[in-house]
Amino acid sequence: MAGETSLATLLRSMSPQLNDGEYVFCTLRDGKLPAGLEIVGSFREQEGLTLILQRSDAEKAGFSFDYVAAWITLNVHSALEAVGLTAAFATALGQAGISCNVIAGYYHDHLFVGQADAERAVQVLRDLAANAE
């Protein structure tokens, strides 16, 4: 099933959902995963393997982290080749003073914002959707 490419449709339909929990970004220089970890996301970089985990799982594994995030899913099937969606929501969040780390999955975009900014970020995204042309 192909994703949506129309920016106007994506913005009107993005329906942000705040997922439960606290999430952290950790890095493993050797890239070796300990057994039993439930990983939300990962990306291999030159410096090591970046993991996105629930905070409690990172703490159990003894991983260090310095940023505690909330996870927001945009519930619209955006095509990977869609143009402008990331720029639109990043601009809106930036104007509200909210930092955002974005992960594009096959079906949805996932935003990680500071835990303290979670509710405000969802409202900014809802306002963006409501005012999309």
Side-chain angles (χ1 to χ4, degrees):
M1 179 178 171
E4 180 61 54
T5 58
S6 164
L7 180 57
T9 301
L10 287 167
L11 289 172
R12 284 192 305 269
S13 307
M14 66 182 176
S15 185
Q17 173 192 334
L18 181 60
N19 298 289
D20 290 333
E22 295 180 320
Y23 298 86
V24 298
F25 288 67
C26 306
T27 187
L28 302 178
R29 291 194 187 277
D30 64 8
K32 295 180 183 176
L33 293 174
L37 274 183
E38 186 168 330
I39 299 167
V40 173
S42 66
F43 197 86
R44 187 166 304 281
E45 299 179 279
Q46 183 177 355
E47 298 84 357
L49 179 64
T50 295
L51 301 176
I52 304 169
L53 306 167
Q54 284 208 17
R55 181 181 186 165
S56 58
D57 290 339
E59 289 172 338
K60 286 178 198 170
F63 295 158
S64 61
F65 55 86
D66 57 9
Y67 176 75
V68 179
W71 172 15
I72 300 169
T73 299
L74 300 183
N75 285 316
V76 61
H77 183 185
S78 56
L80 290 169
E81 68 271 13
V83 176
L85 178 61
T86 302
F89 66 68
T91 298
L93 291 169
Q95 288 173 343
I98 300 171
S99 72
C100 176
N101 295 280
V102 183
I103 304 293
Y106 185 83
Y107 290 100
H108 306 288
D109 290 288
H110 304 274
L111 290 59
F112 291 87
V113 301
Q115 187 68 40
D117 292 323
E119 294 294 336
R120 194 163 57 96
V122 169
Q123 190 57 54
V124 167
L125 295 167
R126 287 183 179 150
D127 291 346
L128 179 62
N131 296 311
E133 296 181 0

